[in-house]
Amino acid sequence: MITPDSEGGEMALVGVVQPPMANGEPVFEAPWQGRVFGMARALCERDIFHWDEFREKLIAEIGADESIGDYRYFDHFLMALTVLLEEKQLFGVDELNGRTHEYSERPHGHDHST
Amino acid sequence: MSKHIPPKHIPPKQSPQAIRAEALESILIEKGLLSSEAVDEVITRYSERIGPMNGARLVAKAWVDAEFKKLLLDDATSIVEEFDFEGGQVEKLVVVENTDNVHNAVVCTLCSCYPWAVLGLPPKWYKDPAYRSRIVREPRELLSEMGVKLDDHVEINIWDSSAEIRYMVLPMQPGGSEDLNEEQLASLVTRDSMIGVELLGS
């Protein structure tokens, strides 16, 4: 059973920081977008940070984006999350870069084809 | 600065962001800051609560406005088009009404067709072969197992969704909610009640 105040309000991602929405919910174009959204919410719910702190970082990331017509909300979302976590000294970006590199070297069924 | 990105066939998993997100999650898990279950739970919660809000709005309006209810039951497709829910692509939508004597439930026996324009993402069990076969073969028993205990006199109708036509259940208004306004009523309407596998207020 849901209650009248159970959704939306606390998230307060409105205005410039509102995620792409359809059908009243955030639209994830790829599974990883759902994962980062879920990570941010889960960390917030565990009081690792306050949602307002995250929102400030997200606003800054979006504000720094000067690209036109190629708006990538969840790229900013991921960046804002890593910036905040590093600022809180919960992990180092070097560590993330290292792990990312390691993962990207994994053999995979598909080739990168940009 | 505008970058031209050609149409791409990179599997989502291969994108640099996807790998970075995966790396981030694994580090955060190692550090004990979160668990993958917690992330799953957030995603599920959002798809259960936020997704079905459009359907819930239709149901609440039908409860308070008899004329609207008639229109909804006659031609839900047009109603949904009028509401202009984001997400486009509205297939033919049929709304079926639960009453004291008739209970409706929705399934897609072939795959997982679902009225996502009004209900958001389908729950995992909706795609489960067990649900898809048992709701047709032994609806009363399965519904009972899912918490919907129906009196023997209640007729059960199972609606099989397809690519062309989607169904949504108009659940019965829970007793004691007569004084609530439309918005409050909408908040009472659950996704499962609009699939027909939950009775509200029970």
Side-chain angles (χ1 to χ4, degrees), chain B residues 56-165:
Chain B
R57 280 167 60 202
L58 296 177
V59 169
K61 194 168 175 60
W63 284 345
V64 299
D65 181 343
E67 184 65 22
F68 178 83
K69 176 171 150 183
K70 188 175 179 308
L71 291 171
L72 185 67
L73 294 173
D74 283 350
D75 183 4
T77 313
S78 303
I79 295 279
V80 169
E81 278 167 7
E82 268 171 44
F83 266 64
D84 197 21
F85 293 137
E86 277 180 71
Q89 190 195 344
V90 180
E91 303 82 4
K92 184 170 168 55
L93 179 71
V94 171
V95 175
V96 288
E97 183 186 17
N98 282 353
T99 67
D100 287 330
N101 298 312
V102 177
H103 183 87
N104 298 283
V106 178
V107 66
C108 174
T109 53
L110 285 178
C111 48
S112 58
C113 296
Y114 190 71
W116 61 269
V118 284
L119 296 188
L121 302 171
K124 269 186 193 154
W125 55 258
Y126 188 82
K127 305 172 191 171
D128 190 322
Y131 174 78
R132 286 157 43 203
S133 61
R134 289 191 64 206
I135 194 73
V136 176
R137 215 172 57 236
E138 42 179 9
R140 199 171 294 271
E141 194 175 349
L142 178 61
L143 286 170
S144 171
E145 285 172 26
M146 295 178 87
V148 179
K149 316 267 188 219
L150 299 169
D151 289 341
D152 287 342
H153 79 272
V154 177
E155 179 189 330
I156 299 175
N157 292 330
I158 303 299
W159 301 86
D160 192 359
S161 307
S162 68
E164 291 78 35
I165 183 162

Side-chain angles (χ1 to χ4, degrees), chain A residues 1-8 10-11 21-26 28-43 45-46 48 65-70 72 75 78-79 81-82 85 90-93 95-97 99-101 103-104 106 108-114, chain B residues 1-3 5 8-28 30-43 45-47 49-55 85-87 116-121 183-184 186-190 198 200-201:
Chain A
M1 181 70 70
I2 55 176
T3 55
D5 62 348
S6 64
E7 59 245 341
E10 80 201 280
M11 213 173 103
M21 304 282 276
N23 188 21
E25 66 182 310
F28 305 125
E29 290 173 347
W32 72 267
Q33 299 180 348
R35 299 309 292 176
V36 292
F37 179 82
M39 275 186 256
R41 291 299 304 167
L43 290 165
E45 284 166 17
R46 294 195 57 192
I48 306 293
D65 182 355
E66 294 174 346
S67 64
I68 300 162
D70 184 30
R72 299 179 155 224
D75 288 10
L78 175 57
M79 184 58 81
L81 183 58
T82 53
L85 291 171
L90 293 168
F91 85 141
V93 158
E95 196 177 357
L96 177 59
N97 289 341
R99 183 72 57 93
T100 304
H101 181 71
Y103 280 7
S104 56
R106 288 175 305 191
H108 201 279
H110 300 277
D111 203 358
H112 295 247
S113 55
T114 39
Chain B
M1 180 177 66
S2 168
K3 280 179 291 183
I5 308 287
K8 49 191 187 231
H9 295 281
I10 313 165
K13 223 181 155 183
Q14 298 275 353
S15 80
Q17 296 95 330
I19 295 169
R20 197 169 173 82
E22 189 188 349
L24 177 63
E25 187 171 344
S26 77
I27 290 171
L28 296 177
E30 276 170 23
K31 292 187 183 295
L33 292 169
L34 54 73
S35 63
S36 59
E37 290 77 19
V39 179
D40 291 342
E41 197 270 329
V42 170
I43 295 169
R45 180 149 32 94
Y46 275 84
S47 52
R49 287 183 179 175
I50 314 287
M53 279 197 317
N54 287 336
F85 293 137
E86 277 180 71
W116 61 269
V118 284
L119 296 188
L121 302 171
E183 196 183 334
Q184 291 167 325
S187 74
L188 299 177
V189 182
T190 63
E198 182 186 350
L200 295 175

